[in-house]
C-alpha cells in the first residue's frame, strides 16, 4: 500500500486544501441533512437563550446580485451563525423588494417601450404586471443561487415578498395609522419629478449618491421692465429659462442695498454687492451707479411681464391677485450670487412655492405627466419643459428683455434610476407629514447604536431635514394607495384591509382579483356621507414605503411582538436615505412612540473596483457574485471581504488579492488540522479520554503548552468582543494571527519533535499534546465558522465528529467558545513576550553577520535587566532552540570576553543579544545536515507520506566531497529527523538505481531519493 492510499483511508481530509471541491461537498451535506430546517427548529427549542429580532433588508429583484450585495449578506450571515452558536434564535428569514420604479423600468426595457404611456397602450396593464412578476422571478433565481454559493444561511422558505396581498394589507395598516393621526395628507406641493420615469421622487431619492451630475445648462441674464418707466429694468439671472413661462413674482432681499446702474440708455436694478462681478461677466465696462435704495423700498413695484401676448393665461393670473408680477421681499434671497433679484416660479420651485403659498398668490403649473406644457402655456403648448429653454430666450430677445446667454456646466440633480434631469413641479400628491413627528423620529434615532460616528452623523443629519414624505407615485406596479374619494362630495375613505375592500365593493369581484392596478381601480365604494360613488386615487406607493413597512408587514402580530424592535440590522451607507429612514418613519407612525424598529444599525461602506472606482455597467467593472463564485471559493471570498477593511470603509475589491492572505491562513488551518489528526490517529487519541481537563491535570504541560493555551483564551475574548463592536476585520486579524504566528510558526514547531516517536514512555505526553491541539484547533474552527462556514463544517465533520460522534450534527449547533480563566497565565505570556523579542533581536544580529538562521551556532549571550533574564531563564531550552545555538548565557552587563570579529550583536530597548559567529567543522556539518533534512521533509510531504510513517531509506547523491566529509558524523541524527531507517550518501547517482529528485544546496545541484 502506498503512503497516499493509506492517508486516504485513514481519514477523509484530502492532502491538499481545495476549497471549491470542499464547498460543493459541504453544500450537499447541508441540503441532504436538512441543516437549515434544523436551525429553524431552534425557534421552538426550550434550550435557546432568547430571541434576537431580525428583519431582512430586501434586495430589489431588478438586477443581478453583485459583490457589493455580497458584502452586506456576508455580514448578516456572520452575525446569524455566531449568535446561533451563542444559543440565540434569530428569524433570519429572506425578503424581497418586488415592486416599484426600478422593476417597472427594467420591464420597460425588456418590452422595448420608452415610457409608461407606451407600455399601457401597447401591452395593457394586466400584461405589464405579468411581465413585472416574471422579471422578479428571473432575478430571484439568481439571488437564490448567489446565496447558496456564498453560504448565506438565510431561510428562503420564510421569505416575504412586498407584492403579495398579505404584505400589502399590513402595509395599508400603517397608512391607516397615519390617516388616523392626520399624518397622511393630499396636497399641492413642489416635488422633484422625473420626466423619464414619469413620476415624482421623494426628497430622499433626490439626494442619492451619484444623482448629482455635471450637466450643461443655459446661463441667462434677462430683464423685466419696471411698470410705468421708460427704460428702467430689473436685472435677473436663471439657468432654467423655461421657468420664465411660469414666472409670477420677483423677489429681493429686504435688508440688502440695491442700486440703479446706468448702462447705455438703460437703467438696471440689482443688488450693490454684485454690480462689479456681474458687469465683468456681461463684459460691460461702461456703467455707472446712479442711485441706491434698500430692498425693502422695492417691494410692491410692478413689472411688465413680457410674454403675456403669447401666454394669455399669464395676463389672466395678473388679475387674480395684486402681487402677481410685483416685487416681494424674501429672506431666502441670496445676495452673494447672480443679481440679487430672483424671479419666482411657484409652479417650479420649492421656495417660490412656499412664498406664493404664504401670500395666497395662485400657483401656475401648466404641465402634463410628461412635463410638457398644457394649453394654459399658450404658444408653448406640447413642448417639453427643458426643450422650451432656447425658445424662451428667443422670445425675450424679440421683446427687448434679453441681456446675455451662454452655456454653463454645473452640478444638477438627475434621476437616480434613469438619469434624466429632474424638474421641480407643483403637483397634487399624497404626503406623510413626517415633518410633524420629526422630534419623535430624532429621539428614536438617537437611541440607536450605530457603531461608528461618521455614518451616525450622516443619518441623524439627514433626519434633521425632517421634510414631508411624498409617498404617491404615478406608476403601475406598486402597492396601491388605498384612498377612495367621493366623486360627488369629495369625502375620503382610507381602506385598511382587503376584507374591508371586498365587503364594501359595489360590484362583483373577479376571481383573479389582487391588490394591484388595474383590478383594485375597478372597485368602487359607496360614500357614507352622500351615497355617491367613491373611486380610488390613481396612485401607487413609493417603493421605499413597501420595504419600510417590513417590521409590521412581514410578520404576524405574534411574531412582531417577539421580534420587533430588531436587535441588529445592517445595510449600505446609501440606505441612510433609504431603508433605514423609511423603517424608522413608519415605525414611529405605527407605534406613535419615539421608538425605532431596530436597536442597532450598521451602515456598511460601498464596494468599488480595485482602482477605487464605482462599479457600473458602463465601466464594465461590475463583479457578479455568481460568476465570481463559479471559479472562486466562497470561504476565501468571505475571508477576504471581511479582512480587507473596516465594515464602514469603502472597499476596493481586488481580484488579485482575493486568494492571497485568505488562502494562506485557511490552508494553514487546514494543514495544521490534518497534521493533528494524522498524528492523533496514529496514537489512537480519544478526546473523551484525553480531554483538555485531563491534560491540565497531568502535570505534563511544558511552558509552550501553558503559553499557547493562555494566548488562546485571550484570543477568544478579543475576537468575540470585536465581533460585538462590528470590527469584523480586526476580529478576523486576531484569528489570522493565532493560526499563522502562534500555532503554525511557534507552537507546532516547538512540540513537533515530541510526536516523532512511538516510545511507550512518552505516550501520555503525546496524548497531552493531542489534547491541547484538539482543544486549540477545534476552538479556532468554531470561531471561524461565522466567517468561513464551509471549511469549519468540513473540519468539524471530518475531524471532530469522527473523534466524537455525539457532537451536535452541524458546527452551527456547536457551542460558541468562551475563555477559560483557569488557564489564563499572564506570567508565562510575559515570559514568552521576552523570549520572542530576544529571538527577533538574535535574527537581526545574524542578518548583520550574514549568518543564515538555519545555521546552528555555538552561543548566544543575552544582556538585559535582571527581571527580564529571570523570565528568559525559565524558557532556556526554548531560547536555545529558537535562536538555533548550542548554549545560552545571561548577563546584566556585557562580559569581558565578548567583542571583536567573532561576535555579532543587535539591540532593542534594554535588551542586547550577542551571537558567536564562528563555525567549526561540527557546526558546519550539522548545518548541512539540517538543510538536507528540510529538503527531505519537503519531499516526503510532496510525495504524500503521512508524518508518522517511517521511510525505508533516504539517499543523497553528488554532494561535494568537502560537504560529504562534514556531514558524515550526522547521518544518524538526520535519519531521526526525517524519520528514515537509514540515510545513505553516494558520490555518483549511478551507484544506485533510483528515481532521483533534483534539489540544490547552497547553489549546487544534488539528488535525493526516498522510499
Ligand atoms: Zn427617472
Ligand atoms: Zn360623497
Amino acid at each position: 500500500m502506498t503512503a497516499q492510499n493509506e492517508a486516504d483511508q485513514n481519514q477523509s481530509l484530502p492532502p491538499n486544501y481545495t476549497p471549491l471541491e470542499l464547498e460543493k461537498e459541504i453544500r450537499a451535506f447541508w441540503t441532504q441533512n436538512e441543516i437549515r430546517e434544523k436551525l429553524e427548529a431552534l425557534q421552538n427549542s426550550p434550550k435557546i437563550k432568547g430571541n434576537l429580532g431580525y428583519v431582512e433588508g430586501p434586495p430589489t429583484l431588478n438586477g443581478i446580485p453583485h459583490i457589493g450585495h455580497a458584502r452586506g449578506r456576508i455580514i448578516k450571515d456572520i452575525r446569524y451563525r455566531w449568535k446561533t452558536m451563542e444559543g440565540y434564535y434569530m428569524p433570519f428569514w429572506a425578503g424581497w423588494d418586488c415592486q416599484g420604479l426600478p422593476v417597472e423600468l427594467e420591464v420597460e426595457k425588456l418590452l422595448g417601450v420608452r415610457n409608461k404611456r407606451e407600455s399601457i397602450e401597447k401591452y395593457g396593464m394586466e400584461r405589464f404586471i405579468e411581465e413585472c412578476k416574471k422579471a422578479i422571478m428571473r432575478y430571484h433565481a439568481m439571488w437564490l443561487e448567489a446565496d447558496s454559493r456564498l453560504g448565506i444561511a438565510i431561510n428562503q422558505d420564510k421569505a416575504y415578498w412586498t407584492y403579495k396581498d398579505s404584505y400589502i394589507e399590513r402595509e395599508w395598516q400603517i397608512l391607516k395609522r397615519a390617516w388616523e393621526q392626520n399624518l397622511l395628507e393630499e396636497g399641492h406641493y413642489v416635488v422633484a419629478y422625473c420626466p423619464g420615469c414619469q413620476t415624482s421622487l421623494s426628497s430622499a431619492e433626490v439626494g442619492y449618491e451619484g444623482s448629482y451630475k455635471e450637466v450643461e445648462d443655459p446661463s441667462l441674464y434677462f430683464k423685466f421692465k419696471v411698470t410705468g418707466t421708460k427704460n428702467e429694468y430689473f436685472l435677473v439671472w436663471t439657468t432654467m429659462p423655461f421657468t420664465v413661462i411660469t414666472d409670477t413674482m420677483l423677489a429681493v432681499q429686504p435688508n440688502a442695498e440695491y442700486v440703479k446702474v446706468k448702462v447705455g440708455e438703460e437703467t438696471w436694478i440689482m443688488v450693490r454687492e454684485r454690480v462689479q462681478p456681474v458687469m465683468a461677466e456681461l463684459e460691460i465696462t461702461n456703467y455707472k451707479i446712479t442711485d441706491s435704495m434698500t430692498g425693502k423700498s422695492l417691494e410692491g413695484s410692478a413689472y411688465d411681464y413680457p410674454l403675456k401676448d403669447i401666454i394669455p393665461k399669464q395676463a389672466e393670473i395678473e388679475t387674480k391677485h395684486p402681487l402677481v408680477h410685483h416685487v416681494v421681499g424674501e429672506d431666502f434671497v441670496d445676495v452673494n450670487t447672480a443679481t440679487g433679484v430672483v424671479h419666482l416660479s411657484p409652479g417650479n420651485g420649492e421656495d417660490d412655492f412656499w412664498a406664493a403659498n404664504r401670500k395666497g398668490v395662485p400657483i401656475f403649473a401648466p404641465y402634463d405627466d410628461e412635463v410638457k406644457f398644457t394649453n394654459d402655456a399658450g404658444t408653448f403648448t406640447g413642448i417639453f419643459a427643458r426643450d422650451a429653454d432656447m425658445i424662451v430666450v428667443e422670445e425675450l430677445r424679440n421683446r427687448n428683455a434679453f441681456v446675455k446667454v451662454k452655456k454653463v456646466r454645473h452640478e444638477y440633480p438627475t434621476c437616480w434610476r434613469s438619469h434624466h434631469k429632474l424638474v421641480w413641479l407643483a403637483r397634487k400628491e399624497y404626503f406623510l407629514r413626517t415633518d410633524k413627528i420629526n422630534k419623535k423620529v430624532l429621539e428614536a434615532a438617537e437611541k440607536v447604536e450605530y457603531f461608528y460616528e461618521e455614518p451616525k452623523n450622516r443619518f441623524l443629519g439627514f433626519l434633521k431635514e425632517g421634510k414631508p414624505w411624498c409617498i404617491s407615485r404615478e406608476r403601475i406596479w406598486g402597492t396601491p394607495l388605498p384612498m377612495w374619494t367621493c366623486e360627488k362630495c369629495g369625502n375620503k375613505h382610507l381602506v385598511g384591509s382587503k376584507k374591508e375592500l371586498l365587503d364594501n365593493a359595489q360590484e362583483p369581484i373577479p376571481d383573479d382579483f389582487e391588490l394591484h392596478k388595474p383590478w383594485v381601480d375597478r372597485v368602487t365604494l359607496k360614500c357614507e356621507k352622500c351615497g355617491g360613488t367613491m373611486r380610488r386615487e390613481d396612485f401607487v406607493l413609493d417603493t421605499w414605503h413597501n420595504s419600510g413597512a417590513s417590521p409590521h408587514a412581514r410578520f404576524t402580530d405574534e411574531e412582531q411582538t417577539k421580534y420587533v424592535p430588531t436587535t441588529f440590522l445592517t445595510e449600505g451607507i446609501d440606505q441612510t436615505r433609504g431603508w433605514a429612514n423609511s423603517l424608522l418613519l413608519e415605525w414611529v407612525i405605527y407605534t406613535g412612540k419615539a421608538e425605532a424598529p431596530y436597536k442597532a444599525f450598521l451602515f456598511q461602506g460601498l464596494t468599488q473596483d480595485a482602482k477605487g472606482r464605482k462599479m457600473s455597467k458602463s465601466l464594465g467593472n461590475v463583479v457578479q457574485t455568481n460568476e465570481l463564485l463559479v471559479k472562486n471559493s466562497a470561504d476565501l471570498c468571505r475571508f477576504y471581504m471581511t479582512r480587507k477593511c473596516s465594515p464602514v470603509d469603502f472597499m476596493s475589491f481586488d481580484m488579485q488579492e482575493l486568494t492571497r492572505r485568505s488562502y494562506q491562513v485557511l490552508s494553514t488551518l487546514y494543514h495544521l488540522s490534518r497534521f493533528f489528526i494524522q498524528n492523533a490517529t496514529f496514537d489512537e487519541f480519544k478526546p473523551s479520554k484525553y480531554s483538555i481537563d485531563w491534560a491540565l491535570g497531568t502535570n505534563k504541560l511544558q511552558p509552550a503548552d501553558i503559553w499557547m493555551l493562555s494566548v488562546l483564551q485571550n484570543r477568544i475574548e478579543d475576537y468575540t468582543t470585536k465581533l460585538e463592536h462590528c470590527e469584523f476585520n480586526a476580529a478576523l486579524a486576531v484569528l489570522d494571527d493565532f493560526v499563522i504566528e502562534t500555532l503554525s510558526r511557534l507552537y507546532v514547531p516547538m512540540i513537533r519533535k515530541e510526536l516523532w516517536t512511538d516510545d511507550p514512555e512518552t505516550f501520555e505526553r503525546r496524548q497531552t499534546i493531542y489534547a491541547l491541539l484538539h482543544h486549540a484547533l477545534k476552538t479556532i474552527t468554531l470561531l471561524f465558522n461565522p466567517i468561513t462556514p464551509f471549511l469549519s463544517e468540513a473540519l468539524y465533520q471530518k475531524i471532530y465528529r469522527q473523534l466524537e460522534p455525539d457532537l451536535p450534527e452541524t458546527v452551527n449547533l456547536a457551542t460558541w467558545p468562551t475563555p477559560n480563566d483557569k488557564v489564563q497565565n499572564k506570567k508565562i505570556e510575559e515570559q514568552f513576550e521576552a523570549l520572542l523579542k530576544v529571538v527577533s533581536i538574535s535574527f537581526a544580529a545574524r542578518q548583520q553577520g550574514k549568518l543564515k538562521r538555519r545555521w546552528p551556532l555555538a552561543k548566544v549571550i543575552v544582556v538585559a535587566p535582571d527581571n527580564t533574564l529571570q523570565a528568559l531563564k525559565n524558557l532556556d531550552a526554548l531560547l536555545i532552540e529558537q535562536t538555533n545555538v548550542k548554549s545560552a548565557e545571561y548577563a546584566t552587563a556585557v562580559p569581558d570576553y565578548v567583542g571583536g570579529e567573532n561576535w555579532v550583536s543587535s539591540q532593542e530597548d534594554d535588551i542586547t543579544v550577542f551571537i558567536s559567529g564562528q563555525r567549526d567543522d561540527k557546526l558546519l556539518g550539522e548545518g548541512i545536515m539540517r538543510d538536507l533534512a528540510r529538503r527531505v521533509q519537503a519531499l516526503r510531504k510532496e510525495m504524500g507520506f503521512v508524518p508518522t510513517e517511517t521511510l525505508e531509506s533516504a539517499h543523497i547523491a553528488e554532494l561535494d566531497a568537502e560537504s560529504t566529509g562534514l556531514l558524515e558524523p550526522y547521518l544518524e541524527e538526520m535519519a531521526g529527523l526525517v524519520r528514515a531507517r537509514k540515510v545513505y550518501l553516494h558520490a555518483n547517482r549511478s551507484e544506485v538505481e533510483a528515481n532521483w529528485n533534483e534539489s540544490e544546496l547552497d547553489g549546487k545541484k544534488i539528488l535525493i531519493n526516498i522510499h
Side-chain angles (χ1 to χ4, degrees):
M1 187 184 277
T2 67
Q4 183 70 64
N5 283 341
E6 201 176 87
D8 281 350
Q9 277 201 346
N10 283 345
Q11 16 69 42
S12 43
L13 269 191
N16 290 316
Y17 173 49
T18 48
L20 264 186
E21 284 165 36
L22 204 74
E23 286 164 17
K24 226 164 118 186
E25 191 186 326
I26 295 301
R27 219 173 271 124
F29 167 83
W30 286 338
T31 312
Q32 275 158 22
N33 296 283
E34 299 180 325
I35 297 301
R36 179 58 241 187
E37 289 74 6
K38 285 165 189 166
L39 291 175
E40 198 54 59
L42 290 174
Q43 193 181 164
N44 305 309
S45 162
K47 281 189 260 165
I48 54 163
K49 276 193 209 162
N51 291 308
L52 296 180
Y54 175 79
V55 65
E56 168 71 344
T60 306
L61 294 177
N62 73 321
I64 299 170
H66 60 71
I67 203 66
H69 299 121
R71 186 179 187 185
R73 292 185 97 65
I74 291 168
I75 294 178
K76 292 171 183 180
D77 194 61
I78 287 175
R79 190 174 157 91
Y80 171 68
R81 290 181 192 267
W82 155 47
K83 286 293 167 189
T84 302
M85 290 171 81
E86 281 193 338
Y88 295 97
Y89 173 75
M90 178 173 148
F92 193 36
W93 304 341
W96 307 110
D97 212 350
C98 309
Q99 307 176 125
L101 196 52
V103 179
E104 285 195 40
L105 292 178
E106 179 73 16
V107 170
E108 281 180 7
K109 237 193 301 172
L110 291 170
L111 292 176
V113 294
R114 278 171 306 175
N115 55 36
K116 181 176 66 175
R117 187 171 43 76
E118 235 184 86
S119 51
I120 296 171
E121 278 168 9
K122 275 192 170 165
Y123 295 94
M125 272 196 212
E126 280 99 337
R127 169 76 199 283
F128 186 77
I129 285 200
E130 215 36 58
E131 292 297 327
C132 287
K133 288 180 185 166
K134 270 197 238 163
I136 62 172
M137 290 318 290
R138 204 162 35 236
Y139 290 115
H140 179 245
M142 296 181 197
W143 277 86
L144 285 191
E145 185 190 334
D147 279 351
S148 164
R149 285 187 184 281
L150 266 175
I152 307 299
I154 201 160
N155 189 339
Q156 305 287 0
D157 298 335
K158 298 277 275 178
Y160 70 90
W161 303 74
T162 56
Y163 80 95
K164 300 239 164 128
D165 282 4
S166 53
Y167 188 94
I168 288 174
E169 272 193 297
R170 286 183 75 87
E171 185 178 354
W172 282 2
Q173 288 171 3
I174 295 177
L175 280 182
K176 184 132 192 156
R177 295 270 176 119
W179 182 240
E180 287 160 3
Q181 297 170 75
N182 291 324
L183 293 174
L184 177 61
E185 279 180 9
E186 179 202 24
H188 276 82
Y189 193 66
V190 172
V191 290
Y193 190 88
C194 172
C197 304
Q198 293 179 20
T199 187
S200 39
L201 303 176
S202 68
S203 52
E205 286 171 306
V206 176
Y208 276 171
E209 200 82 38
S211 65
Y212 275 76
K213 292 233 177 320
E214 203 186 67
V215 300
E216 194 173 77
D217 272 324
S219 159
L220 171 69
Y221 283 93
F222 62 100
K223 58 197 182 189
F224 283 165
K225 191 170 178 187
V226 183
T227 304
T229 66
K230 203 168 151 247
N231 48 17
E232 271 186 32
Y233 297 84
F234 289 105
L235 186 64
V236 196
W237 176 82
T238 183
T239 53
M240 292 185 281
F242 75 92
T243 61
V244 174
I245 296 167
T246 55
D247 171 85
T248 37
M249 287 175 283
L250 289 179
V252 293
Q253 170 60 254
N255 302 316
E257 186 193 357
Y258 284 76
V259 290
K260 291 185 177 177
V261 186
K262 193 142 171 62
V263 179
E265 291 304 304
E266 294 181 355
T267 300
W268 295 349
I269 300 170
M270 63 185 296
V271 78
R272 180 187 280 277
E273 277 182 72
R274 296 290 303 162
V275 173
Q276 200 269 330
V278 168
M279 289 303 146
E281 208 185 322
L282 296 175
E283 294 169 69
I284 295 168
T285 46
N286 204 357
Y287 64 89
K288 201 171 138 209
I289 293 174
T290 56
D291 200 358
S292 150
M293 66 227 72
T294 61
K296 186 134 192 63
S297 67
L298 293 169
E299 284 178 31
S301 316
Y303 60 94
D304 294 344
Y305 178 74
L307 305 181
K308 268 187 279 189
D309 57 327
I310 50 173
I311 312 171
K313 193 80 184 175
Q314 277 281 20
E316 193 188 317
I317 294 167
E318 214 174 87
T319 65
K320 295 269 163 77
H321 195 281
L323 280 179
V324 174
H325 303 146
H326 284 69
V327 176
V328 295
E330 284 294 342
D331 280 332
F332 65 76
V333 174
D334 180 3
V335 294
N336 299 309
T337 59
T339 66
V341 182
V342 177
H343 100 92
L344 300 183
S345 296
N348 287 110
E350 207 175 328
D351 288 335
D352 319 37
F353 174 87
W354 287 115
N357 204 283
R358 279 192 300 272
K359 295 171 167 59
V361 171
I363 310 294
F364 183 42
Y367 297 103
D368 68 11
D369 283 351
E370 290 172 48
V371 201
K372 287 178 180 163
F373 287 104
T374 60
N375 287 337
D376 281 350
T379 322
F380 296 96
T381 307
I383 297 171
F384 170 57
R386 295 297 328 219
D387 291 343
D389 280 341
M390 292 322 282
I391 307 173
V392 167
V393 170
E394 279 320 298
E395 295 296 349
L396 291 176
R397 198 194 299 270
N398 295 340
R399 289 163 181 77
N400 188 36
F402 170 85
V403 177
K404 184 173 179 140
V405 72
K406 60 180 188 179
K407 296 278 174 199
V408 282
R409 294 198 69 85
H410 64 151
E411 294 277 308
Y412 187 85
T414 60
C415 172
W416 64 284
R417 294 296 320 175
S418 67
H419 302 300
H420 284 85
K421 278 191 216 171
L422 297 178
V423 180
W424 268 256
L425 291 178
R427 290 181 66 91
K428 190 196 89 167
E429 302 281 357
Y430 275 83
F431 291 89
L432 281 176
R433 290 296 305 274
T434 43
D435 52 324
K436 289 195 199 165
I437 52 165
N438 194 237
K439 241 182 89 182
K440 265 193 214 167
V441 168
L442 282 171
E443 198 188 320
E446 299 272 6
K447 292 185 220 160
V448 174
E449 166 72 70
Y450 299 94
F451 306 98
Y452 294 88
E453 276 305 301
E454 201 266 317
K456 173 186 176 176
N457 295 337
R458 183 163 161 179
F459 185 45
L460 295 180
F462 166 70
L463 290 174
K464 276 189 190 120
E465 290 174 20
K467 290 189 179 172
W469 178 7
C470 172
I471 54 161
S472 47
R473 294 291 180 274
E474 296 81 352
R475 300 292 315 190
I476 304 165
W477 176 236
T479 297
L481 176 75
M483 182 69 80
W484 269 257
T485 308
C486 176
E487 283 176 337
K488 249 165 86 186
C489 74
N491 176 35
K492 286 183 184 297
H493 180 76
L494 191 116
V495 173
S497 73
K498 186 172 176 180
K499 186 172 183 304
E500 182 192 338
L501 182 64
L502 301 187
D503 287 354
N504 293 295
Q506 288 188 310
E507 50 285 287
I509 303 295
D511 287 345
D512 62 350
F513 179 83
E514 59 176 80
L515 293 181
H516 277 113
K517 284 164 80 61
W519 300 276
V520 71
D521 289 338
R522 295 177 188 143
V523 178
T524 59
L525 304 174
K526 195 169 147 192
C527 176
E528 59 243 340
K529 287 216 173 121
C530 75
T533 298
M534 304 182 94
R535 290 188 193 282
R536 197 183 75 83
E537 294 283 333
D538 189 27
F539 290 111
V540 296
L541 295 179
D542 180 0
T543 177
W544 295 105
H545 192 278
N546 303 166
S547 52
S550 56
H552 175 66
R554 83 96 59 236
F555 293 121
T556 63
D557 284 342
E558 193 194 334
E559 287 167 345
Q560 182 184 314
T561 316
K562 250 182 1 192
Y563 304 135
V564 189
T566 59
T567 44
F568 174 88
L569 301 180
T570 179
E571 293 298 328
I573 183 74
D574 50 337
Q575 298 297 333
T576 46
R577 288 170 169 272
W579 195 52
N581 175 42
S582 63
L583 277 177
L584 177 63
L585 296 177
E586 289 179 59
W587 192 250
V588 172
I589 289 170
Y590 175 77
T591 61
K593 292 186 208 153
E595 179 187 296
Y598 40 81
K599 290 181 186 147
F601 205 116
L602 170 71
F603 292 104
Q604 316 136 25
L606 303 181
T607 306
Q608 306 163 314
D609 74 1
K611 291 178 186 147
R613 296 173 308 179
K614 201 180 167 189
M615 290 194 186
S616 73
K617 269 189 199 152
S618 55
L619 283 172
N621 58 352
V622 180
V623 180
Q624 294 181 3
T625 310
N626 289 325
E627 271 181 18
L628 178 82
L629 295 181
V630 167
K631 291 192 198 110
N632 290 279
S633 143
D635 273 346
L636 296 185
C637 180
R638 291 172 67 118
F639 184 110
Y640 170 67
M641 293 193 85
T642 309
R643 182 84 168 85
K644 167 87 182 177
C645 60
S646 158
V648 286
D649 289 343
F650 276 54
M651 179 189 294
S652 300
F653 187 89
D654 189 345
M655 288 295 292
Q656 305 297 317
E657 295 173 342
L658 181 62
T659 57
R660 216 174 273 166
R661 184 73 184 175
S662 53
Y663 189 84
Q664 191 194 345
V665 176
L666 298 185
S667 157
T668 303
L669 174 62
Y670 182 89
H671 288 292
L672 286 173
S673 306
R674 213 170 161 263
F675 165 79
F676 155 71
I677 193 63
Q678 282 179 336
N679 284 284
T681 307
F682 185 79
D683 272 332
E684 292 174 347
F685 164 74
K686 282 189 186 58
S688 50
K689 192 166 174 196
Y690 304 110
S691 65
I692 184 74
D693 288 332
W694 168 84
L696 293 172
T698 56
N699 267 337
K700 286 194 161 30
L701 295 195
Q702 299 292 318
D705 306 329
I706 300 168
W707 165 72
M708 187 275 283
L709 277 182
S710 184
V711 170
L712 176 62
Q713 309 315 310
N714 291 339
R715 297 295 191 267
I716 297 170
E717 192 164 4
D718 197 12
Y719 178 66
T720 310
T721 308
K722 287 189 159 81
L723 287 183
E724 275 310 340
H725 295 160
C726 289
E727 293 163 358
F728 304 112
N729 57 323
L732 183 50
V734 171
L735 293 192
D736 175 327
D737 182 72
F738 187 77
V739 170
I740 298 290
E741 292 299 317
T742 312
L743 282 184
S744 173
R745 205 176 71 76
L746 296 166
Y747 180 68
V748 169
M750 287 173 189
I751 52 90
R752 181 179 292 157
K753 266 195 264 176
E754 294 187 72
L755 303 179
W756 286 356
T757 166
D758 43 15
D759 184 353
E761 288 276 296
T762 60
F763 180 77
E764 281 213 337
R765 169 60 189 156
R766 293 203 299 280
Q767 298 296 351
T768 307
I769 293 173
Y770 300 140
L772 259 55
L773 281 176
H774 178 265
H775 170 71
L777 288 166
K778 185 178 166 199
T779 300
I780 289 296
T781 300
L782 299 186
L783 294 176
F784 257 110
N785 183 49
I787 293 164
T788 58
F790 294 97
L791 178 59
S792 288
E793 187 76 277
L795 296 176
Y796 181 81
Q797 297 300 336
K798 290 166 189 244
I799 295 179
Y800 306 105
R801 271 191 93 213
Q802 297 298 322
L803 291 170
E804 288 175 282
D806 290 345
L807 288 180
E809 191 183 353
T810 165
V811 64
N812 298 294
L813 290 171
T815 305
W816 190 252
T818 48
N820 179 351
D821 297 341
K822 276 184 273 170
V823 293
Q824 262 168 339
N825 189 326
K826 269 250 130 15
K827 207 171 145 209
I828 202 124
E829 284 193 48
E830 279 165 18
Q831 290 175 3
F832 263 76
E833 211 171 292
L835 167 70
L836 298 175
K837 194 166 174 183
V838 166
V839 172
S840 140
I841 301 170
S842 81
F843 290 158
R846 277 177 179 258
Q847 203 163 13
Q848 281 181 24
K850 294 195 170 61
L851 299 163
K852 292 183 181 167
R853 285 188 206 179
R854 55 186 153 84
W855 289 349
L857 296 171
K859 191 170 194 176
V860 65
I861 300 169
V862 184
V863 180
D866 205 42
N867 55 345
T868 309
L869 295 182
Q870 285 313 316
L872 292 169
K873 279 178 192 168
N874 285 326
L875 305 173
D876 184 58
L878 274 173
L879 191 143
I880 286 173
E881 190 181 293
Q882 293 290 311
T883 53
N884 196 14
V885 294
K886 296 294 159 198
S887 71
E889 189 179 322
Y890 306 92
T892 47
V894 183
D896 294 340
Y897 67 91
V898 172
E901 58 184 20
N902 287 340
W903 292 88
V904 292
S905 72
S906 186
Q907 186 198 352
E908 199 186 318
D909 304 328
D910 51 8
I911 304 178
T912 310
V913 175
F914 292 89
I915 292 183
S916 62
Q918 242 178 350
R919 302 173 76 206
D920 58 14
D921 283 359
K922 273 172 75 178
L923 290 174
L924 286 170
E926 191 187 340
I928 294 166
M929 184 274 287
R930 295 255 190 104
D931 270 353
L932 281 172
R934 271 161 44 118
R935 278 158 185 70
V936 173
Q937 289 287 23
L939 191 58
R940 275 185 66 120
K941 218 173 178 179
E942 218 181 288
M943 292 176 64
F945 286 95
V946 190
T948 47
E949 195 171 355
T950 305
L951 301 172
E952 193 53 45
S953 58
H955 300 263
I956 316 286
E958 301 182 7
L959 193 63
D960 64 83
E962 192 195 343
S963 300
T964 305
L966 290 166
L967 178 62
E968 259 159 356
Y970 292 94
L971 286 184
E972 205 166 312
E973 192 179 339
M974 180 171 165
L977 274 180
V978 302
R979 304 202 86 179
R981 290 193 210 291
K982 200 165 165 57
V983 178
Y984 299 92
L985 294 181
H986 309 280
N988 198 290
R989 70 183 82 177
S990 57
E991 285 175 23
V992 264
E993 182 107 3
N995 284 329
W996 292 107
N997 292 278
E998 277 192 13
S999 188
E1000 58 89 35
L1001 189 70
D1002 290 329
K1004 279 178 265 177
K1005 197 159 80 177
I1006 54 155
L1007 298 156
I1008 305 176
N1009 166 273
I1010 55 174
H1011 58 268

